[in-house]
Amino acid sequence: MNAPPPDGPSHVAPPVEDPLDRTRFPVDVWRLVETRFDSTDLGTTESLFTVGNGYLGLRGNYSESRDAHLDGTFINGFHETWPISHAEEAYGFARIGQTIVNVPDPKVIRLYVDDEPLQISAADLLEYERALDFRTGVLSRELLWRTPGGKRVRVRSTRMVPLEQRHLAILSFEVTLLDQNASLAISSQLVNRQDEQREVAPLDASGGGTADPRRAEAFDRRVLEPRIHGADPETGRLKLGYRTAQSGMTLGVVADHVLETASPYSMEVHAEEDLAKAIYRIAAEPGKPVRLTKLVSFHTADTVPPRELIDRCERTLARTHEEGVEHQYAAQRAWLDAFWARADVEIPGQPALQQAVRWNLFSILQASARAEGQGIAAKGVSGSGYGGHYFWDTEIYVMPFLTYTMPWAARNALRFRYNLLDSARARARELSQKGALFPWRTISGQEASAYYAAGTAQYHIDADVAYALSQYIGATGDDEFLAREAVDIFVETARMWADLGFWRDETRRTFHIHGVTGPDEYTTVVNDNLYTNVLARFNLRRAARAVWELQRDDPPAYDALVRRTGLTAEEPEEWAECAEGMYIPFDSFLGIHPQDRHFLEREMWDLENTPLDKRPLLLHYHPLVIYRFQVLKQADVVLALYLQGEEFTFEQKQADFEYYDPITTGDSTLSAVVQSIVAAEVGYHELALRYFHSALFVDLDDRHNNTADGVHVASTGGVWSALVGGFGGFRDVGSGAGDQQWQLDPRLPDEWSSLVFRVTLHGTRVRVTVRAAELELYVEEGPGPATFSVRGELVKVSAGDPVVVPLEHQGPRLAGEPPYPAGIQRADGTVISAIVPSGD
């Protein structure tokens, strides 16, 4: 079931087992703990031990900065631009590339004992532990180092990026001699590493000549142009200011220091354009700790001069000094206590899984909590993978978690899309469409995908944004946001679909959408992609309903909408007509929904005889080769079955899943979670659990060989959906048609005694506990009541009045793997035979 390479085809599953080395990473349900340094996976552990808040992220590099894969510090949305060069130009191609910038590194604190440097990879370490605590948000590390001179030195360090103070980082570094006097030197630095911006673009994992498109673009020039540098010899304050060479964005960073020790010491400071440092020299004595606290503030802007940003940093630090450092730690703990009360998912009796689940949820938090004004990047603020771009992944994989646990963060993410609406309108015009077309990948709002076939052609991004918006409005009742701003998204995306599609009269009049790419990037520029058509239908229906309800319930807001958008009374009628006439491909011979109108005409890819070192396929085969075959990078039709489940019968879901599962490579981290959810629903419970395990450890076990580039944030969001939507059976259905309902139909794995999760609906937080024979609902916070459909029976739960619902069965339960239809290739050796489609 290890979907990603190099574990083999996605549906051939090894036994479910704990993949981590527990002698190095022991199980701790509230911490990720490492007890042994290992230089072979520095990039992976740097990502795993990142601390961030959605605005600022510090990779898990060592303070001594001598052993690193990438010394990374990233700020959400802070990027450089560059011209995209196309081998052959054409009208409408993306022109401006955008890449996240590795900003000046504040993590560097170097230690010398009797002039001998501490370098982790070469040090004689008698003790070692590093831990990321999910309850405190603090990364801590403790070493016992025997120096080359035989002196024992205990080193403790901590690192935190506060959730309450968006622009702040707090680091501490404490050194204690255990047995002999020594001369200590501690060098605390701000370092702008221009070489990290200009490194050669890495090749694929096999060492071939193809650059991995999942990684950030490299620059061949200086990115950050220095504007300010300085160091205060009295206080040890350091400051640097920059402007990006092309995008014109600006940055200021200021660091303050507080040294506490009973031993005598001196300080000197130094500053130049790319380096500022404060050096402390201490005549240290045994048993007398030397503790350095480093407070760092970052501020960024589109055009504000760096001098003003330095002023903002200094105000942030002044407030921090006034409140005190301990206040910051207490506020962080209180913030996270509230977060876990809303968002925790519990699997009692499964500590290894529990640890992994909480790490995944904590990773979503670190990518999104304070992303205000920006999107949620595919790697969050943990790395430079995908160039720091925002994709449709956010709306489909991350937004459900935010909507039902952190609704204010969901609102911020949707307002980010709203603020890009003018750019999306311009992009639609460039592609000869009405309405708005959101970019497939972007930071600034401009399309940044140089390969249109698998990028720009993914028009489904419009429907994905509309879907997330509808889900948020339904869960929160935020009608003010809908009426004032968000309804414009419904209007402009519906306009795009109505203009993009066309009517055809065959046996009946149907509405078609041609020349698009669905979520599966191994099949591009097709006609009537099922996922696109199904989600576009939802988008059109939801937009029409939103406009009609606004006209009925809030005429002044409707009039304002008309003024803003030029909406006519006929348009919602047209959208509804297009939705009802939408063509949904179905093959009566196989009894399945083709992924697109001509998908079944293609030859099957021979996965069985595809060497593992040729995975993922996109790095080893020309796109035209891949596009000629029935082979999927990720779930496409199956994702539609999950998001729009009410539009399909159970038999259709089962048949579709059984057809597409064996030809899905799982080369994308977006796939396993969806396959887990639908496998659970259609009865393949063991398979669902294996897919869940595959997704749960995507980063913790580096299953796609690119965790070094940052955490897969969409996959972490998908883990929540697999738990809550898959095993918990939670669904939000009917919002497109106006009869929204929250459903619960659990599929608890046999190995689990129970599953506990929370969802917040209109301000009421409900704890859902699934057991083998019953479902318990309890209002933890809020006025209530909340109503659920539990296997077709309406159940209302109110504050102080918990409800227990007996579960006589948990749906169908099928053994083993799906019984693949005759002629469908399986990776275990089934011979491929031709399939002749019966037509539409």
Side-chain angles (χ1 to χ4, degrees), residues 541-561:
R541 286 173 175 169
R542 187 65 181 87
R545 182 166 69 87
V547 168
W548 286 330
E549 289 180 350
L550 193 65
Q551 184 178 23
R552 181 193 66 200
D553 300 334
D554 193 346
Y558 173 78
D559 292 341
L561 171 67

Side-chain angles (χ1 to χ4, degrees), residues 454-488:
T456 297
Q458 293 199 43
Y459 282 49
H460 65 84
I461 176 67
D462 268 23
D464 301 327
V465 173
Y467 179 89
L469 173 60
S470 179
Q471 188 176 67
Y472 167 79
I473 297 298
T476 63
D478 191 352
D479 294 330
E480 180 271 336
F481 173 53
L482 176 64
R484 186 170 55 86
E485 294 180 338
V487 68
D488 295 25

Side-chain angles (χ1 to χ4, degrees), residues 30-52:
W30 282 109
R31 299 188 305 158
L32 179 64
V33 183
E34 181 188 41
T35 61
R36 185 177 69 251
F37 171 80
D38 191 332
S39 62
T40 63
D41 59 358
L42 282 174
T44 297
T45 56
E46 287 166 9
S47 295
L48 298 182
F49 287 99
T50 292
V51 289

Side-chain angles (χ1 to χ4, degrees), residues 347-348 350 683-689 727 747-754 771-772 810-815:
I347 313 176
Q350 301 285 338
Y684 292 105
H685 289 217
E686 181 182 348
L687 191 60
L689 186 60
F727 302 129
R747 302 287 195 274
L748 189 69
D750 291 337
E751 296 86 345
W752 298 2
S753 63
S754 60
R771 303 184 184 94
Q810 292 199 36
R813 184 173 294 272
L814 305 174

Side-chain angles (χ1 to χ4, degrees), residues 607-628:
L607 280 177
E608 176 201 359
N609 293 310
T610 303
L612 294 181
D613 62 4
K614 295 296 186 182
R615 305 282 293 275
L617 302 184
L618 64 92
L619 296 184
H620 302 280
Y621 297 91
H622 192 286
L624 287 176
V625 175
I626 299 174
Y627 298 164
R628 294 186 184 109

Side-chain angles (χ1 to χ4, degrees), residues 362-377:
F362 188 69
S363 294
I364 313 174
L365 169 74
Q366 294 200 128
S368 63
R370 301 303 305 272
E372 304 146 16
Q374 297 296 333
I376 300 166

Side-chain angles (χ1 to χ4, degrees), residues 633-835:
K633 181 184 178 187
Q634 63 204 65
D636 193 302
V637 171
V638 173
L639 180 58
L641 302 180
Y642 168 47
L643 299 181
Q644 290 289 280
E646 64 269 32
E647 301 293 337
F648 302 89
T649 67
F650 175 83
E651 290 74 20
Q652 289 173 340
K653 293 178 186 179
Q654 190 174 71
D656 286 341
F657 180 81
E658 290 173 352
Y659 187 93
Y660 289 104
D661 188 64
I663 59 174
T664 303
T665 66
D667 286 349
S668 168
T669 61
L670 303 181
S671 199
V673 290
V674 177
Q675 289 167 281
S676 175
I677 293 168
V678 179
E681 182 176 359
V682 302
Y684 292 105
H685 289 217
E686 181 182 348
L687 191 60
L689 186 60
R690 294 182 187 279
Y691 272 125
F692 171 70
H693 277 248
S694 182
L696 184 64
F697 290 99
V698 156
D699 287 311
L700 290 168
D701 193 35
D702 192 17
R703 300 216 164 166
H704 283 238
N705 298 316
N706 68 340
T707 298
D709 300 322
V711 170
H712 294 84
V713 174
S715 180
T716 66
V719 164
W720 183 85
S721 292
L723 287 163
V724 174
F727 302 129
F730 177 74
R731 295 288 191 280
D732 166 12
V733 301
S735 62
D739 54 351
Q740 186 175 40
Q741 185 181 83
W742 292 289
Q743 297 181 351
L744 288 166
D745 188 3
R747 302 287 195 274
L748 189 69
D750 291 337
E751 296 86 345
W752 298 2
S753 63
S754 60
L755 171 68
V756 183
F757 61 91
R758 288 98 176 148
V759 290
T760 299
L761 308 172
H762 290 255
T764 294
R765 186 173 76 233
V766 180
R767 184 182 70 217
V768 181
T769 303
V770 180
R771 303 184 184 94
E774 65 182 22
L775 176 74
E776 179 183 333
L777 303 174
Y778 177 78
V779 173
E780 292 187 329
E781 182 179 272
T787 302
F788 298 86
S789 172
V790 181
R791 295 185 179 163
E793 176 186 351
L794 290 181
V795 177
K796 182 181 291 186
V797 58
S798 303
D801 187 18
V803 175
V804 176
V805 182
L807 298 177
E808 296 182 2
H809 62 89
Q810 292 199 36
R813 184 173 294 272
L814 305 174
E817 298 173 353
Y820 300 122
I824 302 302
Q825 175 247 345
R826 289 185 56 181
D828 62 1
T830 301
V831 177
I832 302 171
S833 59
I835 296 178

Side-chain angles (χ1 to χ4, degrees), residues 281-607:
R281 304 186 189 280
I282 307 103
E285 303 172 48
K288 294 184 178 180
V290 178
R291 180 180 177 84
L292 179 68
T293 301
K294 185 175 185 178
L295 307 177
V296 186
S297 179
F298 285 89
H299 279 265
T300 53
D302 291 337
T303 57
V304 175
R307 174 68 263 176
E308 181 177 335
L309 297 180
I310 293 290
D311 291 342
R312 295 180 187 179
C313 292
E314 291 177 335
R315 287 195 294 271
T316 297
L317 293 177
R319 184 171 63 253
T320 303
H321 286 300
E322 290 171 3
E323 295 173 343
V325 172
E326 289 307 314
H327 169 80
Q328 310 306 324
Y329 287 107
Q332 182 87 334
R333 178 60 190 254
W335 205 105
L336 286 167
D337 284 347
F339 167 75
W340 290 114
R342 295 188 308 271
D344 196 16
V345 179
E346 302 166 57
I347 313 176
Q350 301 285 338
L353 298 186
Q354 186 69 77
Q355 179 190 40
V357 165
R358 286 183 175 139
W359 179 86
N360 277 269
L361 300 186
F362 188 69
S363 294
I364 313 174
L365 169 74
Q366 294 200 128
S368 63
R370 301 303 305 272
E372 304 146 16
Q374 297 296 333
I376 300 166
K379 296 287 190 175
V381 286
S382 67
S384 60
Y386 297 105
H389 292 163
Y390 318 126
F391 294 79
W392 67 282
D393 311 7
T394 296
E395 279 71 28
I396 297 303
Y397 291 88
V398 180
M399 284 291 289
F401 172 80
L402 299 182
T403 291
Y404 290 110
T405 65
M406 298 167 57
W408 78 89
R411 191 180 195 272
N412 285 335
L414 289 166
R415 289 209 71 249
F416 168 74
R417 288 295 190 186
Y418 172 78
N419 289 332
L420 297 184
L421 195 53
D422 281 343
S423 295
R425 290 182 176 115
R427 184 58 173 162
R429 289 194 297 272
E430 190 173 31
L431 292 175
S432 304
Q433 303 297 156
K434 297 177 181 177
L437 179 59
F438 286 101
W440 180 63
R441 64 185 298 172
T442 190
I443 297 178
S444 67
Q446 295 178 297
E447 177 62 78
S449 174
Y451 186 57
Y452 73 88
T456 297
Q458 293 199 43
Y459 282 49
H460 65 84
I461 176 67
D462 268 23
D464 301 327
V465 173
Y467 179 89
L469 173 60
S470 179
Q471 188 176 67
Y472 167 79
I473 297 298
T476 63
D478 191 352
D479 294 330
E480 180 271 336
F481 173 53
L482 176 64
R484 186 170 55 86
E485 294 180 338
V487 68
D488 295 25
I489 294 177
F490 283 143
V491 168
E492 299 292 12
T493 53
R495 278 175 169 165
M496 193 282 296
W497 292 120
D499 184 52
L500 178 65
F502 66 97
W503 291 95
R504 172 182 287 173
D505 288 303
E506 294 175 329
T507 56
R508 64 184 180 89
R509 188 168 183 256
T510 50
F511 190 76
H512 298 259
I513 298 173
H514 284 189
V516 298
T517 298
D520 170 35
E521 295 162 25
Y522 285 175
T523 313
T524 65
V525 193
V526 298
N527 296 341
D528 290 317
N529 169 256
L530 179 117
Y531 177 90
T532 301
N533 285 18
V534 169
L535 269 292
R537 178 173 63 183
F538 168 87
N539 192 166
L540 290 159
R541 286 173 175 169
R542 187 65 181 87
R545 182 166 69 87
V547 168
W548 286 330
E549 289 180 350
L550 193 65
Q551 184 178 23
R552 181 193 66 200
D553 300 334
D554 193 346
Y558 173 78
D559 292 341
L561 171 67
V562 170
R563 289 192 298 272
R564 290 195 306 270
T565 64
L567 180 72
T568 66
E570 294 76 23
E571 284 185 280
E573 296 287 351
E574 179 190 7
W575 303 338
E577 183 182 6
C578 292
E580 295 316 304
M582 185 69 69
Y583 175 76
I584 306 299
F586 182 78
D587 184 89
S588 57
F589 175 71
L590 292 176
I592 66 163
H593 293 89
Q595 185 168 293
D596 59 74
R597 192 178 182 100
H598 301 291
F599 184 79
L600 299 180
E601 299 171 11
R602 298 182 177 92
E603 182 182 356
M604 285 285 181
W605 185 285
D606 187 359
L607 280 177

